[in-house]
Amino acid sequence: MRSTLRALTGVLAMTTVTFAAAPAIAADEVNIYSYRQPFLIQPLLDAFTAETGIKPNVIFASKGLGERIAAEGDNSPADVLLTVDIGRLDGAKQLGITQPVVSDVVNENIPAQFRDPEGHWIGLTNRARIIYASRDRVDQDSITYEELADPKWKGRVCTRSGQHVYTIGLIASMVAHHGAEKTEEWLAGVRDNLARKPAGNDRAQVKAIYAGECDISIGNTYYMGKMETNDKEPEQKEWAKSVRILFPNADERGTHVNLAGIVLAKNAPNKDNAVKLIEFLSSANAQKIYAETNFEYPVTPGVEVSERVQGWGELNPDDLSLADIAENRKTASEIVDKVGFDNGPAS
């Protein structure tokens, strides 16, 4: 079975980093397929090994891991899949590559709204979908998602593609709250307020604010931390200084949040170790490491966010079930296409 992981490493050579190759079944090991970059999760894995003696073997890729597990079938060496966004977590369930996590520890540590009702995915950290606002050109201190369709923002909004999983999650939450018809009207209004066609990632939108191309953008909170601490590309620190974070609907239903999470592979050869890993990642110790390393919000109650994240303001999260968001993703995607969101503002 050692050759199995080595073969996978070769296939994924262009997009993959591996820490080790190992037998699929090993008493003191666990095999992780990860969409999360190795440097983001390594501190957690080091702590897991120190606590349990179990060695993690990691395959990283930017795409295709869920499909790979499906193709490998019964012979897959994967024990768990680490990924981000409810769309990708639920997508793994829909692919049929997961099995329920049965653990009183996980159920106690992770609130029900951050777990699949059937146990097929477990949320590990939160990220909020917030508004980055120009410090120079936006005076208000509060905003709502609904307000993004207000004509006062015409030509002032930047965002990434409407079909990106992060955007679909937000739109799906609007469907859950307002229904499809009103969400379609809203998204058409947001489209008409765009400064340009949706393009680039969340950091690119902040760069656009810095450059004066727009005044507000939609993005995930943790990108602020990534920009503020980016020594390799110090210009990103300047982008971050040009904006401040507004938490939409903070005084009402709360700000839309999404997840980074984990699934237990259907044919996990090291199932017991995999469950131990999931339980560890749900613990207060691991949640604190997550919070400090990745600028994300712990989902385990009682674990504080990092000092940097606290400095952005208080998050009042929308308590809408992530399962409800998952159920509305298809409708959200259809609305994006129906209003021609990615074509940019209407002429």
Side-chain angles (χ1 to χ4, degrees), residues 122-134:
I122 305 296
L124 297 176
T125 56
N126 272 333
R127 63 277 303 280
R129 197 84 180 139
I130 48 78
I131 301 301
Y132 288 105
S134 168

Side-chain angles (χ1 to χ4, degrees), residues 18 44 70 77 82 89-90 92 114 134 143 158 210 216 221 224 250 270 278 317 324:
T18 60
L44 290 160
L82 277 169
L89 289 165
D90 186 66
F114 303 129
S134 168
I143 198 168
C158 284
Y210 172 78
I216 60 174
T221 40
M224 179 65 98
N270 304 293
I278 296 171
D324 289 342

